[in-house]
């Protein structure tokens, strides 16, 4: 599963870096920042699912949802777009990919 994380962040760096090099500073930074927030959001959601009690589970889900929502709002507000598989996609599609990647890649913590 480490491959998924490396591929996601490598693709994020390529797309965000290309936007920065092209002079689209706001779009590049919003793409890079939203990708990190989305991945953190997915990771927080996965860890919250396996939390031992209700309160940490709810807080984890809320934090994860907030990270994902902020990431989606950043991409919507900036209007960042990218091309994948010959399709023009909105940045929120990359946010969704980050959340799903964070959920699938994060390992369940075992209590000590």
């Amino acid at each position: 599963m480490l491959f998924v994380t490396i591929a996601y962040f490598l693709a994020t760096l390529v797309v965000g870096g290309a936007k920065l090099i092209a002079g689209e500073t706001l779009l590049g930074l919003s793409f890079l920042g939203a990708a990190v927030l989305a991945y953190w959001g997915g990771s927080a959601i996965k860890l919250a699912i396996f939390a031992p009690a209700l309160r940490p589970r709810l807080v984890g889900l809320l934090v994860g949802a907030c990270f994902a929502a902020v990431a989606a709002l950043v991409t919507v507000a900036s209007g960042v777009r990218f091309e994948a598989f010959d399709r023009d996609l909105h940045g929120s599609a990359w946010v969704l990919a980050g959340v799903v990647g964070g959920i699938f890649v994060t390992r369940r913590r075992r209590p000590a």
Side-chain angles (χ1 to χ4, degrees):
M1 289 309 236
L2 180 64
F3 174 74
V4 174
T5 303
I6 292 171
Y8 176 74
F9 283 111
L10 184 63
T12 298
L13 286 174
V14 168
V15 173
K19 292 199 177 296
L20 288 171
I21 291 171
E24 300 172 340
T25 307
L26 177 64
L27 297 179
L29 290 177
S30 66
F31 191 82
L32 292 170
V36 171
L37 283 174
Y39 189 84
W40 284 347
S43 181
I45 290 170
K46 173 73 174 262
L47 293 176
I49 291 171
F50 293 107
L54 180 64
R55 183 173 296 240
R57 190 173 303 131
L58 291 177
V59 169
L61 288 173
L62 183 65
V63 167
C66 284
F67 278 172
V70 168
L73 287 174
V74 164
T75 60
V76 169
S78 67
V80 67
R81 302 187 77 73
F82 68 99
E83 187 174 320
F85 305 110
D86 295 329
R87 304 241 185 229
D88 186 41
L89 298 172
H90 196 273
S92 56
W94 197 248
V95 170
L96 181 62
V99 169
V100 170
I103 289 172
F104 283 135
V105 171
T106 302
R107 289 193 210 175
R108 177 181 169 193
R109 289 188 185 170
R110 300 196 192 276

